Amino acid sequence: MQPLKLFGIVLFLALLPPSQGILSGLSCAVSPRAMQQALSKVVFDSGLFQKKLQGLVLPNILGEGGLLNPPTVITGLQLDGVWLPTLAVAVLPGVGLQLSISAQLEFRGNCLVGLLSEVISITADVTITANIKCTNFELGAVQVVVDDCFCILGAVKIGLLSGLLSISVNTIVLNQLTTIVPSLVTRAGTAHQCSVMVSHTAVFPIGTKGTVHYHLTGLPFASGSSLGMDLDGTVQQAGGSIVPHHSYSSAMPPLLESMLLIGLRPSFLSSLLFVLLQIQPQTFPCSTEAFSGANQLRDAIIALFPSGCSSCSPTAPLSIHLECVGKPIMLLETNKATVNLSVMIGVFTKRPDSSSLTVLLVKADISLDTLLSIVGGSLVLRFSLGSTSLSLESSDVGIIEISKLKPYFISLLVEIFLPLLNAVAAAGLPLPKVFNIPLLNGNIRI
């Protein structure tokens, strides 16, 4: 095993500070099976485990002869193969991870019994267990300590090329291997891996609109049967400007039957949404081709024209302008997510001299019920309209009351604005890979 690389990946996932937060958070989960499969690829498919044990040599085994048994000398025992390796991962509450690797180790050497020399093969089942602890978090780096590493020797099979195995040879080998193999394998597995500093960050694009630079916020924390990481980050718009947000402690909700948790804070999510939900301002004619309630909206606006208004023409065509203003705010409650944002709705017409006339400028503060899911390694949001509050910003024609227009503006938002918003939200917010596992799906709890 090569803990410097392997355990660094572990730490990237295993970050969840004690739950002393002041606000809610969001957790995404990875199952134990997915974690073990990914770790197995890192340890075995990459050859890390085999490389660590490569060149393992057992000392010579000497057995004294007796009146009836000639002396036995076994020399040159070298590791010839590693078979059927498997890996198990467990959480040690308050400590970290415990990795257990089981495998069959095959050694070959020479066996001299009296004057007869032949090839001897020894196959030993071993289980290597190591605990991983993390201390001293500072500036995004954590100190990884690998301790309590030990090896247990299981079944041992001994074979000679001739097929003849005396009881004395079998007894001598078993007695020696009981102490030799666990000691050698443990030293080989932990050599030069006592204490290292590990820092992990990850940068992902938010489409073409910007990037998010994830980083860890504190020491690993193991609770119950889960490990987690509390994530924060730097969100940058295309062009270089940083989107500010508050970094505060937050309570990460647990997820049952999940080994790894990713915790995200609402303020951080809000900064991500500011970049993701950038929509080009929309201008279109107030007609039934644009949305179904256009004629009713037009009639309702004309009915609000003050009497004697020289600029108010009931026959002039109206245009509508939609534009997001301010920053979206993600709000998290138990099992509920909402996004608050503001949309400026402008209704315009043309004067006889072709200059623009602002019939209405209305600010719509809307609350969006938000469905969250993990798709293709991203946190995908789907919005539906919750509540809407309208306020009149200005009117060049003297309109002062807009309460009667609310149903038509809601229809406008549902038919025009929400599809645009959901289209850009479908791209999702990129999530970091955990143990190099892309989050293709997963559980979410708020």
Side-chain angles (χ1 to χ4, degrees), residues 4 8 11 135-138 140-145 195-199:
L4 179 60
L11 285 176
T135 60
N136 301 332
F137 178 85
E138 185 176 358
V142 290
Q143 187 174 26
V144 185
V145 178
S195 177
V196 294
M197 293 298 293
V198 178
S199 176

Side-chain angles (χ1 to χ4, degrees), residues 56-62 74 77 105-107 120-126 151-159 169-185:
L56 190 63
V57 177
L58 298 184
N60 296 337
I61 297 176
L62 306 176
I74 301 175
L77 282 172
L105 306 183
E106 183 178 354
F107 299 90
I120 186 171
S121 174
I122 301 173
T123 302
D125 292 342
V126 296
C151 174
I152 298 176
L153 181 67
V156 177
K157 296 180 181 179
I158 306 168
V169 172
N170 189 76
T171 302
I172 292 169
V173 172
L174 286 177
N175 290 340
Q176 294 290 326
L177 292 184
T178 300
T179 56
I180 293 173
V181 170
S183 177
L184 287 177
V185 172

Side-chain angles (χ1 to χ4, degrees), residues 228-243:
M229 64 174 181
D230 189 10
L231 287 184
D232 201 357
T234 302
V235 181
Q236 190 169 17
Q237 299 184 81
S241 59
I242 301 295
V243 182

Side-chain angles (χ1 to χ4, degrees), residues 402-442:
I402 60 169
S403 59
K404 295 181 180 180
L405 302 179
K406 186 172 182 178
Y408 310 112
F409 281 136
I410 289 177
S411 175
L412 172 68
L413 293 171
V414 170
E415 294 187 38
I416 301 295
F417 181 72
L418 272 185
L420 293 172
L421 197 66
N422 281 319
V424 296
L429 300 169
L431 296 174
K433 295 182 180 180
V434 290
F435 279 107
N436 207 31
I437 308 171
L439 296 178
L440 302 179
N441 51 55

